Amino acid sequence: MTDTPTLELDLDEIQADFTHCFTGECRVNVLPILHKIGHVSTRNADLSALLAIILEVMQQPLKMHRGMVMLYDRHSDTIGIHDSFGLTEEEKGRGIYAPGEGVTGKVVETGKAIVVPRLNESLDFLDRTRAHAERGSANASFICVPIMRAEKVLGTLCAERIYMSRRLLDQDVKLLATIASMIAPVVELYLLENIDKVRLENENRRLKNALKRRFKPSNIIGNSKPMQQVYEHIRKVAGTRATVLILGESGVGKELVASAIHYNSPYAEGPFVKSNCAAFPENLVESELFGHEKGSFTGAIATHKGCFEQANGGTIFLDEVGELSLANQAKLLRVLQERSFKRIGGINPVRVELRIITATNRNLIEMVENGTFREDLYYRLNVFCITLPPLRERGSDVITLADHYVNRFAAENGKSVKRIATPALNMLMSYHWPGNVRELENVIESAVILSDDGVIHSYDLPPSIQTSHESGTTNALTLEDKLRAVEYEMIVEALKNNNGNVGETAKELGLTRRMLGIRMQRHRISYKTFRTRVTDALD
């Protein structure tokens, strides 16, 4: 096996070589065909038309037994036969290689042509197609040249035939290299527009399906009765094109519900654009929502597409819609009515087809009565309303969510936190959660970081949850109260771990049985509570 030198070809030298005839074969006759290939490649970027010409040239004037055009898929890191002659469809399907694998793989890996003068003398020729094993071509030579563009290997052009003259073999190597360099731009365009495009479309579809699974209603955590009603509303409205208004306190998960509606809707294949109306300065709201033309105001150095235009064909989610000024409310109303708008400084209207989902923690009815929210806009937005319950009204969902966050943040922080201690659970359940799910998420993340023994204890929770002001209890916790609470929790946890065995519990806590008994009596703790009954075990 030998490598050809770097192919910096001298056309005069090639033409001189081609004018020599051996065994009745004159390569000068191929020059008009090269001209035709060049003409087709510059006028028409159709790879199929080019390959039809090339394979015909290889099969007839060049008298090749087999010819293959192989393309390199960088994403899957595989090289496959794109078009060929002399191979059956079954043989073509078997011709798949990795870079560095076999002759073809080495050409792709090195970017250099390889010539095998005798197939039966090459250890690198793998015969992956098994064409030679079935029909035999031991005396044939194999030529494989890279198809390259800007030093990037796109594939290979390979041929096989029996040569009686080494000079003719060398000429065909140069000829195939010339053809490969001529078709490289068309091959690159084909890979970009077809293989890469198809892969990107497939990847986009895969990600959207993943998002759809992630945001489907059954994956929103919580099984309380108020949430079951929310799930039912999502299920009913998602398949429609209706405008949806989501109401609820800050932190209850309005964006998550909007996502669930979008990814289970007729607009799921389109974009999902989120915009927080309270996050923009008053003078920039119109530009952010509806866009502007270049030069329409100071600082408008380029045309900007607003959120509505970006969401065309999908869903726009306007959070905190109650924060819009009356002037911007009027512009939003116009879009809802006409499904068109003009960019700032624009002349032509921009039409959009999308779904509008809005959310707010404000009391819009009260704002309408006060004159701070347009009544006509309210009724336009309130086609279908979903009200999310605050966390304090969701009962045991607090524990379900807390367990979920423990597992999530333990994995993210590389900690082996497994559970929440009973006193800490009681605190979580009794707290009124003004920040709702968002606050609970932050509390559990902090507690996971503070935990040292794989358990979240009450003293791992933030002080705000343990004070009378925040938790709604009547008496403030003194230092003595805090120490008693910690002692109570440690005794309860140890009794649980030891199935109510007082001796083992005392040993774990570093106490004598008598000292533990006194403390249990002080806290009115009975070891019998922690004994597992046989019937319980059977249940």
Side-chain angles (χ1 to χ4, degrees), residues 275-337:
S275 178
N276 189 325
C277 299
F280 304 126
E282 176 62 26
N283 60 330
L284 293 180
V285 172
E286 184 178 1
S287 173
E288 290 297 327
L289 293 181
F290 309 116
H292 60 253
E293 298 289 349
K294 180 180 179 180
S296 56
F297 54 84
T298 302
I301 59 176
T303 298
H304 168 68
K305 291 184 178 181
C307 294
F308 272 89
E309 201 167 348
Q310 295 172 33
N312 191 26
T315 301
I316 185 169
F317 174 53
L318 300 177
D319 199 6
E320 304 298 346
V321 70
E323 304 301 322
L324 287 176
S325 67
L326 288 171
N328 286 312
Q329 289 176 32
K331 293 165 186 172
L332 176 59
L333 177 63
R334 192 182 317 120
V335 177
L336 285 167
Q337 292 172 334

Coordinates of all heavy atoms in Angstrom, one line a residue, residues 275-337:
S275 N -42.1 36.0 27.8 CA -41.7 37.4 28.0 C -42.3 37.9 29.4 O -43.5 37.7 29.6 CB -42.3 38.2 26.9 OG -42.0 39.6 27.1
N276 N -41.5 38.4 30.2 CA -42.0 39.0 31.5 C -42.3 40.5 31.3 O -41.3 41.3 31.2 CB -40.9 38.7 32.6 CG -41.5 39.1 34.0 OD1 -42.3 40.0 34.1 ND2 -41.1 38.3 34.9
C277 N -43.5 40.8 31.3 CA -43.9 42.2 31.1 C -43.4 43.2 32.1 O -43.2 44.4 31.9 CB -45.4 42.4 31.0 SG -46.1 41.4 29.6
A278 N -43.1 42.7 33.3 CA -42.6 43.5 34.4 C -41.1 43.8 34.3 O -40.6 44.6 35.0 CB -43.0 42.9 35.8
A279 N -40.4 43.1 33.4 CA -39.0 43.1 33.4 C -38.5 44.2 32.5 O -37.3 44.6 32.5 CB -38.4 41.8 32.9
F280 N -39.3 44.8 31.6 CA -38.9 45.8 30.6 C -39.2 47.2 31.1 O -40.3 47.5 31.7 CB -39.6 45.6 29.3 CG -39.4 44.2 28.7 CD1 -40.5 43.4 28.4 CD2 -38.1 43.7 28.6 CE1 -40.4 42.2 27.9 CE2 -38.0 42.4 28.1 CZ -39.1 41.6 27.7
P281 N -38.3 48.1 30.9 CA -38.6 49.6 31.2 C -39.8 50.0 30.3 O -40.0 49.5 29.2 CB -37.4 50.3 30.8 CG -36.3 49.3 30.8 CD -36.9 48.0 30.4
E282 N -40.6 50.9 30.8 CA -41.8 51.3 30.1 C -41.6 51.8 28.7 O -42.3 51.4 27.8 CB -42.5 52.5 30.9 CG -43.7 53.1 30.3 CD -44.8 52.1 30.1 OE1 -44.9 51.1 30.9 OE2 -45.6 52.3 29.2
N283 N -40.5 52.4 28.4 CA -40.2 52.9 27.1 C -39.7 51.9 26.1 O -39.5 52.1 24.9 CB -39.2 54.1 27.1 CG -37.9 53.7 27.7 OD1 -37.8 52.8 28.5 ND2 -36.8 54.3 27.3
L284 N -39.4 50.7 26.6 CA -38.9 49.6 25.8 C -39.9 48.4 25.6 O -39.6 47.5 24.8 CB -37.6 49.0 26.4 CG -36.4 50.0 26.3 CD1 -35.2 49.3 26.9 CD2 -36.1 50.4 24.9
V285 N -41.0 48.5 26.3 CA -42.0 47.4 26.2 C -42.5 47.2 24.8 O -42.5 46.1 24.3 CB -43.2 47.7 27.2 CG1 -44.3 46.6 26.9 CG2 -42.8 47.6 28.6
E286 N -42.9 48.3 24.1 CA -43.4 48.1 22.8 C -42.3 47.5 21.8 O -42.7 46.7 21.0 CB -43.9 49.5 22.2 CG -44.5 49.4 20.9 CD -45.0 50.7 20.4 OE1 -44.8 51.7 21.1 OE2 -45.6 50.8 19.2
S287 N -41.1 48.0 22.0 CA -40.0 47.4 21.1 C -39.8 46.0 21.4 O -39.6 45.2 20.5 CB -38.7 48.2 21.3 OG -37.7 47.6 20.6
E288 N -39.8 45.6 22.7 CA -39.6 44.2 23.0 C -40.7 43.3 22.5 O -40.5 42.1 22.1 CB -39.4 44.0 24.5 CG -38.1 44.6 25.1 CD -36.9 43.9 24.5 OE1 -36.9 42.7 24.2 OE2 -35.9 44.6 24.3
L289 N -41.9 43.7 22.6 CA -43.1 42.9 22.2 C -43.3 42.9 20.7 O -43.6 41.9 20.1 CB -44.3 43.4 22.9 CG -44.4 43.2 24.4 CD1 -45.7 43.6 25.0 CD2 -44.1 41.7 24.8
F290 N -43.2 44.1 20.1 CA -43.6 44.2 18.7 C -42.4 44.5 17.7 O -42.6 44.5 16.5 CB -44.7 45.3 18.5 CG -45.8 45.1 19.5 CD1 -46.1 46.0 20.5 CD2 -46.6 43.9 19.4 CE1 -47.1 45.8 21.4 CE2 -47.6 43.7 20.3 CZ -47.9 44.7 21.3
G291 N -41.2 44.8 18.3 CA -40.0 45.0 17.4 C -39.9 46.4 16.9 O -40.8 47.3 17.1
H292 N -38.8 46.7 16.2 CA -38.6 48.1 15.7 C -37.8 48.0 14.4 O -37.1 47.0 14.2 CB -38.0 49.0 16.7 CG -36.6 48.5 17.1 ND1 -36.4 48.0 18.4 CD2 -35.4 48.5 16.5 CE1 -35.1 47.7 18.5 NE2 -34.5 48.0 17.4
E293 N -37.9 49.0 13.6 CA -37.1 49.1 12.3 C -35.8 49.8 12.6 O -35.7 50.6 13.6 CB -37.9 49.8 11.2 CG -39.2 49.2 10.8 CD -39.0 47.9 10.0 OE1 -37.8 47.7 9.6 OE2 -40.0 47.2 9.8
K294 N -34.8 49.5 11.8 CA -33.5 50.2 11.9 C -33.7 51.7 11.8 O -34.3 52.1 10.9 CB -32.6 49.6 10.9 CG -31.2 50.2 10.9 CD -30.3 49.6 9.8 CE -28.9 50.3 9.8 NZ -28.0 49.7 8.8
G295 N -33.1 52.4 12.7 CA -33.1 53.9 12.7 C -34.4 54.5 13.1 O -34.6 55.7 13.0
S296 N -35.3 53.7 13.7 CA -36.6 54.2 14.1 C -36.5 55.1 15.4 O -37.3 55.9 15.6 CB -37.6 53.1 14.4 OG -37.1 52.2 15.3
F297 N -35.4 54.9 16.1 CA -35.2 55.8 17.3 C -33.7 55.7 17.6 O -33.0 54.8 17.1 CB -36.0 55.4 18.5 CG -35.9 54.0 18.9 CD1 -34.9 53.5 19.8 CD2 -36.8 53.0 18.5 CE1 -34.8 52.2 20.1 CE2 -36.7 51.7 18.9 CZ -35.7 51.3 19.7
T298 N -33.2 56.6 18.5 CA -31.8 56.6 18.9 C -31.4 55.2 19.5 O -32.1 54.8 20.4 CB -31.5 57.7 19.9 OG1 -31.9 59.0 19.3 CG2 -30.0 57.8 20.2
G299 N -30.4 54.6 18.9 CA -30.0 53.3 19.4 C -30.5 52.1 18.6 O -30.1 51.0 18.8
A300 N -31.5 52.4 17.7 CA -32.0 51.3 16.9 C -31.1 51.1 15.7 O -31.3 51.6 14.6 CB -33.4 51.7 16.4
I301 N -30.0 50.4 16.0 CA -28.9 50.3 14.9 C -29.2 49.1 14.0 O -28.5 49.0 13.0 CB -27.5 50.0 15.6 CG1 -27.6 48.8 16.5 CG2 -27.1 51.2 16.4 CD1 -26.3 48.4 17.1
A302 N -30.2 48.3 14.3 CA -30.6 47.2 13.4 C -32.1 46.9 13.6 O -32.7 47.3 14.6 CB -29.8 46.0 13.7
T303 N -32.7 46.3 12.6 CA -34.1 45.8 12.7 C -34.2 44.7 13.8 O -33.4 43.8 13.8 CB -34.6 45.3 11.4 OG1 -34.6 46.4 10.4 CG2 -36.0 44.8 11.5
H304 N -35.2 44.9 14.6 CA -35.4 43.9 15.7 C -36.8 43.3 15.7 O -37.8 44.0 15.6 CB -35.2 44.6 17.1 CG -35.6 43.8 18.3 ND1 -35.0 42.7 18.7 CD2 -36.7 44.0 19.1 CE1 -35.6 42.2 19.7 NE2 -36.7 43.0 20.0
K305 N -36.8 42.0 15.7 CA -38.1 41.3 15.7 C -38.5 41.1 17.2 O -37.7 40.6 18.0 CB -38.0 39.9 15.1 CG -37.8 39.9 13.6 CD -37.8 38.5 13.0 CE -37.6 38.5 11.5 NZ -37.6 37.2 10.9
G306 N -39.7 41.6 17.5 CA -40.2 41.5 18.8 C -40.7 40.1 19.2 O -40.7 39.1 18.4
C307 N -41.1 39.9 20.4 CA -41.5 38.6 20.9 C -42.7 38.0 20.1 O -42.7 36.8 19.9 CB -41.9 38.7 22.4 SG -40.5 39.1 23.5
F308 N -43.6 38.8 19.7 CA -44.8 38.3 18.9 C -44.3 37.8 17.6 O -44.8 36.7 17.2 CB -45.8 39.4 18.7 CG -46.8 39.5 19.9 CD1 -46.6 40.3 21.0 CD2 -48.0 38.8 19.8 CE1 -47.5 40.4 22.0 CE2 -48.9 38.9 20.9 CZ -48.6 39.7 21.9
E309 N -43.4 38.4 16.9 CA -42.9 38.0 15.7 C -42.1 36.7 15.8 O -42.1 35.8 15.0 CB -42.1 39.1 15.0 CG -42.0 38.9 13.5 CD -41.4 40.1 12.8 OE1 -41.4 41.2 13.5 OE2 -41.1 40.0 11.6
Q310 N -41.3 36.6 16.9 CA -40.5 35.5 17.2 C -41.3 34.2 17.5 O -41.0 33.1 17.2 CB -39.6 35.7 18.4 CG -38.5 36.8 18.2 CD -37.8 37.1 19.4 OE1 -37.6 36.2 20.3 NE2 -37.4 38.4 19.6
A311 N -42.5 34.5 18.0 CA -43.4 33.4 18.4 C -44.3 32.9 17.3 O -45.2 32.1 17.5 CB -44.2 33.8 19.6
N312 N -44.2 33.5 16.1 CA -45.1 33.2 15.0 C -45.1 31.7 14.7 O -44.1 31.1 14.6 CB -44.7 34.0 13.8 CG -45.7 33.9 12.7 OD1 -46.9 33.7 12.9 ND2 -45.3 34.0 11.4
G313 N -46.3 31.1 14.7 CA -46.4 29.7 14.5 C -46.3 28.9 15.7 O -46.5 27.6 15.7
G314 N -46.2 29.5 16.9 CA -46.1 28.8 18.2 C -46.9 29.5 19.2 O -48.1 29.9 19.0
T315 N -46.3 29.7 20.4 CA -47.0 30.3 21.5 C -46.2 31.4 22.2 O -45.0 31.2 22.3 CB -47.3 29.2 22.6 OG1 -48.1 28.1 22.0 CG2 -48.0 29.7 23.8
I316 N -46.9 32.5 22.5 CA -46.2 33.5 23.3 C -46.8 33.5 24.7 O -48.0 33.4 24.9 CB -46.4 34.9 22.7 CG1 -45.5 35.9 23.5 CG2 -47.8 35.3 22.6 CD1 -45.4 37.3 22.8
F317 N -45.9 33.5 25.7 CA -46.4 33.5 27.1 C -46.0 34.9 27.7 O -44.8 35.2 27.9 CB -45.7 32.4 27.9 CG -45.9 32.4 29.4 CD1 -47.2 32.5 29.9 CD2 -44.9 32.4 30.3 CE1 -47.5 32.5 31.2 CE2 -45.1 32.4 31.6 CZ -46.4 32.5 32.1
L318 N -47.0 35.7 28.0 CA -46.8 37.0 28.6 C -47.0 36.9 30.1 O -48.2 36.9 30.6 CB -47.7 38.0 28.0 CG -47.6 38.2 26.5 CD1 -48.7 39.2 26.0 CD2 -46.2 38.7 26.1
D319 N -45.9 36.8 30.9 CA -46.0 36.8 32.3 C -46.2 38.2 32.9 O -45.7 39.1 32.3 CB -44.8 36.1 32.9 CG -45.0 35.5 34.3 OD1 -46.2 35.6 34.8 OD2 -44.1 35.0 34.9
E320 N -46.8 38.3 34.0 CA -47.1 39.6 34.7 C -47.7 40.6 33.8 O -47.3 41.7 33.7 CB -45.7 40.1 35.3 CG -45.0 39.2 36.2 CD -45.7 38.8 37.5 OE1 -46.7 39.5 37.8 OE2 -45.4 37.9 38.1
V321 N -48.8 40.1 33.1 CA -49.4 41.0 32.1 C -50.1 42.2 32.8 O -50.4 43.2 32.2 CB -50.4 40.2 31.3 CG1 -51.6 39.7 32.1 CG2 -50.9 40.9 30.0
G322 N -50.4 42.0 34.1 CA -51.0 43.1 34.9 C -50.1 44.3 35.1 O -50.6 45.3 35.5
E323 N -48.8 44.2 34.8 CA -47.9 45.3 34.9 C -47.8 46.2 33.7 O -47.2 47.2 33.8 CB -46.5 44.7 35.2 CG -46.4 43.8 36.4 CD -46.9 44.4 37.7 OE1 -46.6 45.6 37.9 OE2 -47.5 43.7 38.5
L324 N -48.5 45.8 32.6 CA -48.5 46.7 31.4 C -49.2 48.0 31.7 O -50.3 48.0 32.3 CB -49.1 46.0 30.3 CG -48.4 44.8 29.6 CD1 -49.2 44.1 28.5 CD2 -47.0 45.3 29.0
S325 N -48.7 49.1 31.1 CA -49.4 50.4 31.2 C -50.6 50.4 30.3 O -50.8 49.5 29.4 CB -48.4 51.5 30.7 OG -48.1 51.3 29.4
L326 N -51.5 51.3 30.5 CA -52.7 51.4 29.7 C -52.4 51.6 28.2 O -53.1 51.0 27.4 CB -53.6 52.6 30.2 CG -54.3 52.3 31.5 CD1 -54.9 53.6 32.1 CD2 -55.3 51.2 31.4
A327 N -51.3 52.3 27.9 CA -50.9 52.5 26.5 C -50.5 51.2 25.9 O -50.9 50.9 24.7 CB -49.8 53.6 26.4
N328 N -49.7 50.4 26.6 CA -49.3 49.1 26.0 C -50.4 48.1 26.0 O -50.4 47.2 25.2 CB -48.1 48.6 26.8 CG -46.8 49.4 26.4 OD1 -46.5 49.6 25.2 ND2 -46.1 49.8 27.4
Q329 N -51.3 48.3 27.0 CA -52.5 47.4 27.0 C -53.3 47.6 25.7 O -53.8 46.6 25.1 CB -53.4 47.7 28.2 CG -52.8 47.2 29.5 CD -53.7 47.6 30.7 OE1 -54.9 47.7 30.6 NE2 -53.0 47.9 31.8
A330 N -53.4 48.8 25.2 CA -54.2 49.1 24.0 C -53.5 48.5 22.8 O -54.2 48.0 21.9 CB -54.3 50.6 23.8
K331 N -52.2 48.5 22.8 CA -51.5 47.9 21.6 C -51.6 46.3 21.7 O -51.8 45.7 20.6 CB -50.0 48.3 21.7 CG -49.8 49.7 21.4 CD -48.4 50.2 21.9 CE -48.2 51.7 21.7 NZ -47.0 52.2 22.3
L332 N -51.6 45.8 22.9 CA -51.8 44.3 23.0 C -53.2 44.0 22.6 O -53.4 42.9 21.9 CB -51.6 43.9 24.5 CG -51.8 42.4 24.8 CD1 -51.0 41.5 23.9 CD2 -51.6 42.2 26.3
L333 N -54.2 44.8 22.9 CA -55.6 44.5 22.5 C -55.7 44.5 21.0 O -56.4 43.6 20.4 CB -56.5 45.6 23.1 CG -58.0 45.5 22.7 CD1 -58.6 44.2 23.3 CD2 -58.7 46.7 23.3
R334 N -55.0 45.4 20.3 CA -55.1 45.4 18.9 C -54.5 44.2 18.3 O -55.1 43.6 17.3 CB -54.3 46.7 18.4 CG -54.5 47.0 16.9 CD -53.7 48.2 16.4 NE -53.7 49.2 17.4 CZ -52.6 49.7 18.0 NH1 -51.4 49.2 17.7 NH2 -52.7 50.7 18.8
V335 N -53.4 43.6 18.8 CA -52.9 42.4 18.3 C -53.8 41.2 18.5 O -54.0 40.4 17.6 CB -51.5 42.1 19.0 CG1 -50.9 40.8 18.5 CG2 -50.5 43.2 18.7
L336 N -54.5 41.2 19.7 CA -55.4 40.1 20.0 C -56.6 40.2 19.0 O -57.1 39.1 18.6 CB -55.9 40.3 21.4 CG -55.0 39.8 22.5 CD1 -55.4 40.3 23.9 CD2 -54.8 38.3 22.5
Q337 N -57.0 41.4 18.6 CA -58.2 41.5 17.7 C -57.8 41.3 16.3 O -58.6 40.6 15.6 CB -58.8 42.9 17.9 CG -59.4 43.2 19.2 CD -59.8 44.6 19.4 OE1 -59.2 45.5 18.8 NE2 -60.8 44.9 20.3

